[in-house]
Amino acid sequence: MAQTGDSRDTEQPTPEAPPAARPPARRRSVTAQVALLIGGVSVLAIASVVLLILSPAVKKADRAIDEILAPPPPRGIAPGELVFGMASPFTGANRELGRAMKAGVEAAFAEVNAAGGIHGRLLRLVAVDDGYEPSRTGPAMKQLVEKEQIFAVVGNVGTPTAAVSIPYCMDRKVIFFGALSGGDALRRHPPDRYVFNFRPSYAQETAAAVRYLVRVRRIRAERVAVFAQEDAFGESGFGGAAEELSARGVDPARIVRVGYRRNIADVADAVATLKARARELDAVVMVATYKAAATFVRTLRDAGLRLLVTNVSAVDSNALAEELVTSGRPYADGVVVTQIVPLPTSRATGVVRFQEAMARHATGERPGFLALEGFVVAQVLAEGLRRAGRDLDSEKLVDALEGIRELDVGIGTTLSFSPQDHQGSRKVWGTLLQPDGTWKQLDLE
């Protein structure tokens, strides 16, 4: 039988591929060694970098860079210190006001520092003289804030000078705390965020004086005159007296009002006016600093006028007493001063602490009303600083102060602030000058 198909169509088997070539054993060994070497070098490099990063030199450099890049600390705050400023009269006719306030603040700071400070920081006060002249207050405030780099202002003296200080502080968000002023500019409604007062207003003091004269001394309201400094200080006090007299039927326009110019104790015209109307008057409410007040009382007595006189706490009672008592007994009779702290000789807990602090830190300084005020102001500020915490700035201190309620510093009244009220106290005491120059507590009601 014939065969079908072509032998070329017969499927042929595929020849097997030759086995793959294998690298020599030596080459494999070299590759492994290279890999191990590279890995080792990498580990060593990483370890070196880690050690370098952790080295003291690099850490120090990192800290230096962080310090450069970090925002500067708030003004007046250092790791171990808080710096505060005071612009007040330390020369001129009203220098005793600044001296007394400064002594009280520094005594309180010294007590805080002796106990270790606040959150590890000691408190320091830088004081600059403005002479009780508004024209000097602006440069004094600039020196404190821009040169001395203070954190906050504490215990400034003066109402006319506050009219310069407050706008400056508000513009720069510098806290203006515990000024010796009862002026209206420090008591806006709602309050300026960075302005806090410890003391009652002059209006509250003169209103209390009028109530005392009318209710306790039984003097008819229309027979009360007013002697006031011719500026914002005097105007604030006159306003309180006028409102209280008006409530008792006296037309404010008919109140006998006399005055004097700031830092000039020229009272001759004022006394002449009162002498001309002596038959209509029994008392004078004063809103005056101590030099003008002392001159006024002496001139009044020399003119034969035995009017009962009152004055507000800013007079500096120690200085007024010394001026009048050394002039002779008749000059010290019938002199009443309203106060915003109790007698500095009392045995109240907070006052005893003040007396002891003054003995330790203000040798030779007579503990008086204004020094006690400065001491209390600084204590309240210190409490706010404690509550604000270690990570301090102005906003945190404002919030901390506004949270203070019923704070008892041992003076016979508690102190409170709130976002709606930046005046800590409304308590007014009365004092009567004694022939030996001391002051006796007086019930005003």
Side-chain angles (χ1 to χ4, degrees), residues 74-77 82-87 124-128 140-154 156 168-169 173-175 394:
R75 179 184 52 248
I77 300 178
L82 287 173
V83 185
F84 297 88
M86 173 188 288
R124 179 165 65 90
L125 181 68
V126 177
V128 176
M141 292 298 294
K142 288 189 70 172
Q143 178 181 343
L144 289 172
V145 174
E146 298 173 23
K147 180 181 177 182
E148 302 293 345
Q149 291 286 297
I150 63 163
F151 173 61
V153 175
V154 57
N156 269 25
Y168 180 87
C169 287
K173 299 183 179 181
V174 175
I175 292 173
S394 293

Side-chain angles (χ1 to χ4, degrees), residues 167-373:
Y168 180 87
C169 287
M170 289 296 295
D171 182 62
R172 288 156 181 80
K173 299 183 179 181
V174 175
I175 292 173
F176 188 81
F177 189 85
L180 198 171
S181 172
D184 299 334
L186 289 81
R187 293 164 174 78
R188 302 189 190 279
H189 300 284
D192 290 331
R193 178 165 173 80
Y194 303 103
V195 178
F196 287 83
N197 302 287
F198 154 67
R199 59 165 37 240
S201 68
Y202 293 138
Q204 289 170 315
E205 287 194 63
T206 54
V210 169
R211 289 194 296 272
Y212 166 75
L213 293 172
V214 174
R215 292 178 183 174
V216 179
R217 300 303 294 260
R218 302 296 181 185
I219 293 173
R220 286 161 47 194
E222 65 270 19
R223 296 183 66 83
V224 176
V226 177
F227 169 72
Q229 187 167 290
E230 295 169 350
D231 61 7
F233 165 49
E235 195 62 38
S236 295
F238 174 77
E243 185 174 349
E244 197 68 31
L245 291 170
S246 178
R248 286 163 170 72
V250 179
D251 181 354
R254 297 180 65 83
I255 296 172
V256 178
R257 180 180 180 179
V258 293
Y260 70 100
R261 292 171 56 197
R262 180 180 61 248
N263 279 339
I264 300 176
D266 183 358
V267 301
D269 290 345
V271 172
T273 298
L274 295 180
K275 187 173 182 179
R277 304 185 64 171
R279 300 180 112 186
E280 307 169 36
L281 302 172
D282 291 319
V284 181
V285 173
M286 297 192 291
V287 190
T289 54
Y290 77 93
K291 183 67 72 173
T295 304
F296 175 76
V297 172
R298 284 197 300 261
T299 308
L300 203 65
R301 300 294 186 246
D302 289 343
L305 300 177
R306 295 290 179 260
L307 303 176
L308 181 63
V309 296
T310 74
N311 205 350
V312 294
S313 57
V315 69
D316 186 354
S317 301
N318 279 359
L320 177 65
E322 185 175 349
E323 291 254 359
L324 294 178
V325 170
T326 55
S327 298
R329 178 162 184 162
Y331 300 105
D333 289 343
V335 178
V336 173
V337 175
T338 52
Q339 308 288 354
I340 52 82
V341 289
L343 285 172
T345 54
S346 81
R347 302 310 294 169
T349 302
V351 180
V352 170
R353 285 198 297 266
F354 159 71
Q355 295 162 359
E356 293 172 347
M358 292 292 284
R360 281 192 289 266
H361 308 294
T363 306
E365 183 74 28
R366 180 182 175 187
F369 291 96
L370 295 187
L372 176 55
E373 178 177 351

